[in-house]
Amino acid sequence: MEQPQISDYAFLSDSRSGALVGRDGSVDWWCPSRFDGASVFGRLLDPSAGHFRLAPAGAGGPGHRVERAYRPDTLVLRTVHHTPQGSVAVTDALAAEPGARAHQLGMNSPAVLLRVVEGLSGRVRMALDFAPRPEYGLLTPYLHEQPDGGVLAGAGPVVLVLRAGDLPLRPDRDRVTQEFEISAGQVLGMDVAFGETYGTPPVRLDPLTALDETTRAWEAYRQTHSYSGRYPELVRHSATVLTGLTYARSGAVAAALTTSLPEQIGGDRNYDYRFSWLRDFSFTMRALWVAACPDETSRLFAWAARSIGRVGDEPVPVLFGLEGERDLTEHQCAHLRGYRDSRPVRIGNDAWRQRQLDVPGEVISGVWRLRDYLGTTFEEELREMVLGLTEQVAATWQMPDRGMWETRGEERHYLSSKVLCWLAMDHAVRLADRLGDRADPGRWSTVRDEIRDAVLREGWNDRIGAFTGAFGSSELDASALILPVAHFLPANDPRMRATIEMIARELGSDDGLVRRWTTDPGGFLLCSFWLVECLVIAGERKRATELFERVVGFANDVGLFSEQIDMDTGSQLGNTPQALSHVGLINAAWRLTEPDSY
C-alpha cells in the first residue's frame, strides 16, 4: 500500500504532543508523551508501525468524497465523508485539560485522542482499525477487554485505553478491528487515553464533553490575540499552527511535528525536527510578536536563556530539547522503512554538536526586540548571557562553521553566519548601556565594522555579480536574502538588488518557489517568503503581493505547510507542519502590511 502524500495529513495538537490524521481517517503519527517522545502510531514512517483508522467501510471506492476543515481558530478537525449510503462526520482533536483557557492551554494536557462520529444523512457503515505499536513500532502490546467495554493495550512503558461509548470492542490478537453503523442524528464518541506503565495512569474523559472543552480552550486562546494586518485569516491560522507546535510547559517552539520526512523521496536527508532551534529564534519571535502577544514571545525568550545557561568558550548549540536538553545525540531506527522508503529514519539530531556562528546573533536580536520589557538595566543572568555571547562572537567570527543549512560536510565561511555575527555585535553596541561596567561598545563597534567590511569584500562575487553562499564561492544561495531582512544592506543597494534578481531568476520558479541552491530538490518555503520581504523592502509591493499569493497556494486543504515543495509536481516535502514555513508567511504578510516595520 502506497503511503499518503505528506499534504494528505492534518495536524492535531494539545501543546504537549501532536498527531497527524490522513484524509483516509487514519491517525498515522502520535507521540503522546510529548512532541519528541516515542510514537505509538508510526505508520507515517513504516506501514507496520501502528495506526488508528476510523472511516466508512470501503472508503476510497466509487462515490466516496472527503471534505475537511478546522473549526475556526482551533486545531479541532472535522472530516465529512460522503458515501453512496449517506454522509458522516468525524471530528478529531487532542484533548485540552478540562477548564483550560487562554495561556493555560497545554500546561496539563491529559494526553487523550478524541474521535467523535456524527451521522449526517442516510446510514453509513463505519470501520475501526486500532493497531498501536509503541516505541516507534518496536513493541506489539497485549490487548485486554475492560469491564466498561473498552480495550487496554499495554507494552513496555506504555498503556493505552481505547473506549467507544456504548459500542463494545472485541480485540483480536494484536489489534481491534470492528464495523458498526451510524445513522443520521446519531453521535458516538470514542477516545484513546495514554498512560505510563510505572507512572501516571490513563485518564478517563467523556469524549463529547472533552471535545467541547477543547474547542472552547482553543477559541479562548485565539481571543486573547489580535492581528490587524493583511491576510488576517492566513496569519491567524499560521499563528494557531505555531501555538500547536509550542510545548506549553516551557514555551519552546518545535521546528516541526515529525522526524525523517524526506527533502527528496528516496533520499537520505531525513532529519529529526522535533526540537527547538535557536537559529529560528528571531524569526519566530517576530512572528509571535505580530500574530500572538508579548507573553508567548517572553516565554520563548525565557526558555532560550535558561537553555543556554552560562556562556563559556564552547559554541552555543543551535538546538535544544523542548525542556532545554542539550545532548540530542542522533541514532537510526534500522527497523523502520522510512516514508516511501526514504532511509534512514533518525531520532535525535547531531546538529547540536555543530559550530553555528549565527546563533548568538539570533539570541541577541531577540533581546533587542524585548528590550523595552526587560528593563533599563538587565538582571544579572540576562546581562551575563548577552556579554558572554558578544565576547564569543568577537573571538570566533573569523572561524568557519557549518552554516544556516547545517551541512554535514566541511566547515566554510558562510555569508549568512557572518551577517548574523555582525547583527550580534550591532545589537550589543546598542544595548551596551544596559549591560553594566563590562560592556565595551568601542571595541565591539570595531569588531562589528570589521565583520561588515569582510562580508562586503569576501561575500560579493564580481564574476557572477551577486552575493554568494560562502566567502570565495561562486555558488548562489538564497540565504543571501537575509541581508535586507537583517538590515545589513538596503534592498535597493545595487549589489543587493542584483543578488535579489539573480536569486529570483536562477533559484526561483514561475510558481514563486525559491530553492536554497541550484541543486536543491525542492522550493524552500521560508526562502520564498524572504523573497517576498525583500521585494517589499525594495519598493515592489505589487510584485511581492503576487509572489506571496502564489506561494501560499501550496498549503494543503487545511492550510498546512511542510518544509519544501517539489518543483516539478507541487507536492509537499520534508517535515510537517513546519514552523518556519508558517513563520515566514506571518512575517511576509506583516511586511506587506507595514513595509518599514522592524
Side-chain angles (χ1 to χ4, degrees):
M1 180 186 72
E2 187 175 33
Q3 288 175 280
Q5 296 282 339
I6 292 172
S7 58
D8 284 342
Y9 287 105
F11 171 43
L12 311 177
S13 173
D14 56 10
S15 287
R16 160 182 167 162
S17 65
L20 293 179
V21 55
R23 289 177 60 85
D24 62 355
S26 184
V27 177
D28 288 350
W29 186 251
W30 187 29
C31 304
S33 61
R34 68 183 212 181
F35 292 112
D36 54 353
S39 67
V40 295
F41 302 134
R43 189 164 72 169
L44 181 72
L45 298 177
D46 191 294
S48 64
H51 64 277
F52 177 18
R53 188 168 185 268
L54 180 63
H64 181 229
R65 181 169 55 89
V66 174
E67 298 175 319
R68 60 182 184 167
Y70 289 112
R71 292 184 176 176
D73 291 333
T74 78
L75 292 180
V76 176
L77 180 74
R78 188 172 189 264
T79 302
V80 178
H81 297 271
H82 299 285
T83 76
Q85 293 74 38
S87 297
V88 63
V90 178
T91 302
D92 294 318
L94 289 178
E97 180 189 16
R101 294 293 183 268
H103 293 100
Q104 297 171 338
L105 180 66
M107 292 297 184
N108 293 289
S109 297
V112 176
L113 171 65
L114 305 171
R115 313 202 74 178
V116 174
V117 186
E118 177 187 1
L120 301 179
S121 67
R123 187 172 181 83
V124 179
R125 190 161 189 82
M126 299 291 291
L128 176 156
D129 184 6
F130 173 74
R133 299 291 184 268
E135 293 289 304
Y136 301 109
L138 285 172
L139 295 175
T140 301
Y142 290 101
L143 302 181
H144 303 281
E145 291 185 41
Q146 300 297 287
D148 61 1
V151 172
L152 184 148
V158 172
V159 177
L160 297 172
V161 177
L162 169 67
R163 299 185 181 92
D166 295 331
L167 180 70
L169 300 172
R170 299 288 181 263
D172 296 326
R173 183 173 179 274
D174 64 352
R175 66 206 307 136
V176 178
T177 56
Q178 197 152 333
E179 294 190 0
F180 60 95
E181 291 189 335
I182 194 93
S183 299
Q186 280 187 296
V187 177
L188 174 65
M190 60 183 69
D191 68 279
V192 181
F194 163 79
E196 301 162 327
T197 302
Y198 306 106
T200 305
V203 304
R204 180 160 191 166
L205 299 175
D206 174 74
L208 302 184
T209 302
L211 182 62
D212 182 64
E213 277 286 302
T214 301
T215 303
R216 289 173 182 268
W218 279 102
E219 291 172 344
Y221 193 93
R222 292 307 316 159
Q223 287 168 7
T224 63
H225 306 84
S226 62
Y227 170 78
S228 57
R230 297 184 66 183
Y231 306 102
E233 291 185 4
L234 291 174
V235 169
R236 286 176 66 87
H237 182 56
S238 284
T240 300
V241 173
L242 290 183
T243 300
L245 288 170
T246 299
Y247 183 69
R249 295 177 182 178
S250 67
V253 179
L257 179 66
T258 57
T259 178
S260 300
L261 291 186
E263 295 179 11
Q264 185 173 21
I265 301 300
D268 62 358
R269 287 181 57 85
N270 320 318
Y271 301 116
D272 194 346
Y273 277 14
R274 298 172 299 162
F275 312 109
S276 195
W277 266 251
L278 292 184
R279 173 184 308 110
D280 305 350
F281 189 68
S282 65
F283 304 128
T284 304
M285 286 187 70
R286 275 176 62 193
L288 293 175
W289 192 269
V290 166
C293 70
D295 184 81
E296 277 95 307
T297 310
S298 299
R299 293 192 69 237
L300 175 60
F301 177 77
W303 165 84
R306 183 166 293 276
S307 298
I308 291 169
R310 189 177 293 277
V311 179
D313 294 332
E314 291 299 312
V316 174
V318 69
L319 71 155
F320 290 91
L322 300 176
E323 294 184 356
E325 300 89 348
R326 181 169 291 214
D327 186 344
L328 302 176
T329 299
E330 184 177 297
H331 69 276
Q332 298 181 7
C333 292
H335 67 286
L336 294 175
R337 288 171 47 181
Y339 177 80
R340 298 195 174 190
D341 294 319
S342 301
R343 297 185 181 92
V345 171
R346 294 181 169 97
I347 306 300
N349 196 311
D350 275 344
W352 76 274
R353 304 176 188 273
Q354 295 183 356
R355 177 165 49 233
Q356 300 283 348
L357 296 179
D358 55 341
V359 169
E362 297 287 358
V363 177
I364 297 175
S365 179
V367 176
W368 175 254
R369 183 167 298 280
L370 283 177
R371 63 192 182 279
D372 292 336
Y373 290 86
L374 296 171
T376 55
T377 302
F378 291 167
E379 294 181 359
E380 180 184 2
E381 288 188 8
L382 175 61
R383 186 171 64 247
E384 289 298 314
M385 182 185 75
V386 175
L387 288 167
L389 291 173
T390 303
E391 292 298 345
Q392 190 173 95
V393 173
T396 64
W397 75 268
Q398 297 184 67
M399 299 177 70
D401 74 338
R402 296 296 176 86
M404 177 175 287
W405 310 128
E406 296 173 7
T407 58
R408 298 199 172 191
E410 65 175 345
E411 293 184 337
R412 302 174 70 185
H413 293 279
Y414 285 99
L415 179 79
S416 60
S417 297
K418 307 303 184 188
V419 170
L420 267 296
C421 287
W422 170 86
L423 187 66
M425 302 308 296
D426 185 62
H427 284 324
V429 170
R430 296 167 186 253
L431 292 168
D433 60 350
R434 308 184 189 207
L435 297 175
D437 296 339
R438 289 168 51 213
D440 193 351
R443 178 170 57 86
W444 294 347
S445 296
T446 300
V447 174
R448 176 194 61 191
D449 295 343
E450 289 174 354
I451 299 172
R452 182 179 178 83
D453 290 344
V455 170
L456 295 176
R457 183 179 64 253
E458 305 292 339
W460 174 261
N461 186 303
D462 269 327
R463 185 175 62 81
I464 70 169
F467 287 105
T468 57
F471 286 5
S473 172
S474 60
E475 299 171 2
L476 206 59
D477 193 301
S479 61
L481 294 172
I482 71 165
L483 270 68
V485 176
H487 303 287
F488 182 88
L489 272 182
N492 54 12
D493 177 278
R495 293 161 296 180
M496 194 65 238
R497 191 55 197 258
T499 302
I500 292 170
E501 293 302 328
M502 185 167 289
I503 287 173
R505 184 174 63 252
E506 300 296 328
L507 300 183
S509 71
D510 293 339
D511 293 324
L513 299 171
V514 177
R515 292 182 174 92
R516 289 170 292 180
W517 52 79
T518 54
T519 58
D520 200 7
F524 201 82
L525 285 159
L526 178 65
C527 296
S528 305
F529 289 123
W530 280 347
L531 180 57
V532 171
E533 290 202 63
C534 287
L535 291 174
V536 175
I537 299 169
E540 291 198 59
R541 290 184 66 178
K542 182 176 184 296
R543 181 180 170 194
T545 298
E546 292 171 352
L547 176 63
F548 178 87
E549 292 180 354
R550 288 198 298 271
V551 174
V552 298
F554 286 99
N556 73 357
D557 60 319
V558 290
L560 300 179
F561 287 109
S562 64
E563 183 179 35
Q564 293 182 259
I565 303 294
D566 187 290
M567 302 286 272
D568 296 323
T569 67
S571 299
Q572 294 193 358
L573 295 169
N575 286 304
T576 193
Q578 178 75 208
L580 269 185
S581 298
H582 289 275
V583 163
L585 183 153
I586 293 170
N587 289 335
W590 186 243
R591 184 74 73 178
L592 284 163
T593 304
E594 296 286 345
D596 298 324
S597 62
Y598 45 84

